[in-house]
Amino acid sequence: MVREFDLIGRYFSREVPEGYIGAGDDCAVLPEQPGRQWVVSTDALIEGRHFLSDVDPFALGHKSLAVNLSDLAAMGATPAGCVLALALPKIDENWLSKFSDGFYFMADQHSCPLVGGDTTGTGHGIMICVTVFGHITPGTALLRSGAQYGDDIWITGSLGAAHIALKLLQGALPANDVLLADTRAALERPRPPVMYAAQLAGLAHAALDISDGFLQDLGHILKASKCGAHIIFDNLPVDPAIRNLPNELMQEAVLSGGDVYQLCFTAPQRHRNAIETLARQFSTMVSRVGVITEGNELVVETLSGRRLMPSQLGYQHF
Ligand code: ADP
Ligand code: MG
């Protein structure tokens, strides 16, 4: 049976880049970022609530960091490092080894080294708490309160697949192996547009990451910015895997489905070209889905002028 120290040494103490002091001391040390402001976020994932007990541990490691990187992306920040607090009901080395591989895969890909953490036992399920540190040019954080009348509303990536995968895994939809195979990665391995988002400072006015559902999260921007929005449903980036589902189910997944970990941001019209050019440069998909309006109403309409009723889609504005 491995002891806690061996476990940390074996799975969570990989080498850190020059300028960092990682696991092994009482605190980690991060390199100076001259002329930058720090940006910090933390997210806890609880077994049974945020992930299913039998989820692939590599994917879980990946997702634990991805959901935090998504918060940094939402602020337009560049990742600098992360710490990981783990509460484990038992020591399962096969699980730990795969979890660690998934976590480091994401950390390496986004230059966000794991520099420390805490490891403890628990009488309950697994808890994974990640804290990320990033940095921005002072004064350029993309806040929820920055949207302005006339701004375009943009979304990165696509919507709806994670919601359908979750429903399939929960048995809330009839079993469908092909559909599950096509949607599962969206749920279990989100890919927030971290590099792209770090370039949006100076272009975007407001941003957040879509975690609870597009309409609900857009509602946070509208409330903080004291404005409304007009969304064209046909312009929303429906994930190709769910395009052929019954209309009502597809709409619910797109407008209210969670676990997206893509960005919704607003930007003035004059930046349309820059936003699209940057998206090509960073191989990120972006869609312009609507405009910010005066008042506080959120309207979702089809191109043919049919209004969708957000209230019927499980959405409460204000
Ligand atoms: P302390 O008693 O000071 O809290 P610990 O014994 O908890 O120290 O941790 C020893 C070292 O291992 C610390 O540097 C800590 O940051 C690191 N560490 C502990 N758990 C993890 C983890 N899950 N991931 C990364 N580093 C960890
Ligand atoms: Mg400790």
Side-chain angles (χ1 to χ4, degrees), residues 39-58:
V39 178
V40 180
S41 180
T42 195
D43 249 325
L45 281 83
I46 312 263
E47 181 175 353
R49 181 177 288 243
H50 301 104
F51 61 93
L52 305 170
S53 302
D54 60 355
V55 68
D56 168 27
F58 183 98

Side-chain angles (χ1 to χ4, degrees), residues 2 14 18 66 78 83 85 92 109 121-122 129 142 154 162 179-180 184 197 206 219-220 242 250 254 261 304 317:
V2 286
R14 292 191 197 169
E18 207 181 315
T78 300
V83 293
D92 175 344
Q109 201 170 56
T122 171
C129 183
L142 302 175
W154 297 84
L179 186 58
L180 181 59
R184 193 165 192 161
H220 297 316
I242 69 163
M250 184 269 282
V254 167
Y261 302 111
S304 58
H317 190 40

Side-chain angles (χ1 to χ4, degrees), residues 4-230:
E4 185 196 332
F5 297 123
D6 304 333
L7 182 157
I8 297 165
R10 207 170 287 177
Y11 301 112
F12 299 110
S13 300
R14 292 191 197 169
E15 209 176 321
V16 291
E18 207 181 315
Y20 286 81
I21 296 174
D25 263 283
D26 291 304
C27 288
V29 181
L30 300 182
E32 236 182 322
Q33 304 291 341
R36 307 281 284 175
Q37 276 180 322
W38 285 106
V39 178
V40 180
S41 180
T42 195
D43 249 325
L45 281 83
I46 312 263
E47 181 175 353
R49 181 177 288 243
H50 301 104
F51 61 93
L52 305 170
S53 302
D54 60 355
V55 68
D56 168 27
F58 183 98
L60 185 59
H62 172 128
K63 183 163 179 173
S64 306
L65 183 51
V67 301
N68 280 276
L69 288 169
S70 176
D71 286 324
L72 285 183
M75 301 297 285
T78 300
C82 62
V83 293
L84 164 67
L86 270 180
L88 302 169
K90 61 176 193 284
I91 292 176
D92 175 344
E93 289 212 69
N94 175 47
W95 188 93
L96 276 165
S97 152
K98 290 178 175 155
F99 176 85
S100 159
D101 283 347
F103 195 95
Y104 275 108
F105 173 80
M106 207 60 185
D108 291 346
Q109 201 170 56
H110 294 93
S111 306
C112 188
L114 176 61
V115 295
D118 197 30
T119 308
T120 167
T122 171
H124 304 280
I126 298 171
M127 185 174 105
I128 303 157
C129 183
V130 178
T131 302
V132 281
F133 303 88
H135 51 82
I136 51 165
T137 303
T140 65
L142 302 175
L143 305 181
R144 296 175 176 193
S145 54
Q148 294 176 20
Y149 305 137
D151 274 2
D152 291 321
I153 300 171
W154 297 84
I155 293 180
T156 65
S158 66
L159 296 170
H163 177 80
I164 296 300
L166 183 62
K167 285 203 143 188
L168 287 167
L169 290 170
Q170 288 172 333
L173 286 175
N176 182 332
D177 287 346
V178 175
L179 186 58
L180 181 59
D182 287 347
T183 55
R184 193 165 192 161
L187 176 69
E188 295 184 345
R189 299 188 191 198
R191 305 181 146 277
V194 182
M195 309 262 276
Y196 177 67
Q199 309 295 318
L200 285 177
L203 293 177
H205 279 157
L208 49 54
D209 66 325
I210 305 172
S211 52
D212 297 332
F214 167 57
L215 287 189
Q216 189 167 323
D217 288 326
L218 174 60
H220 297 316
I221 289 185
L222 302 186
K223 191 170 180 187
S225 302
K226 299 191 177 60
C227 53
H230 188 161

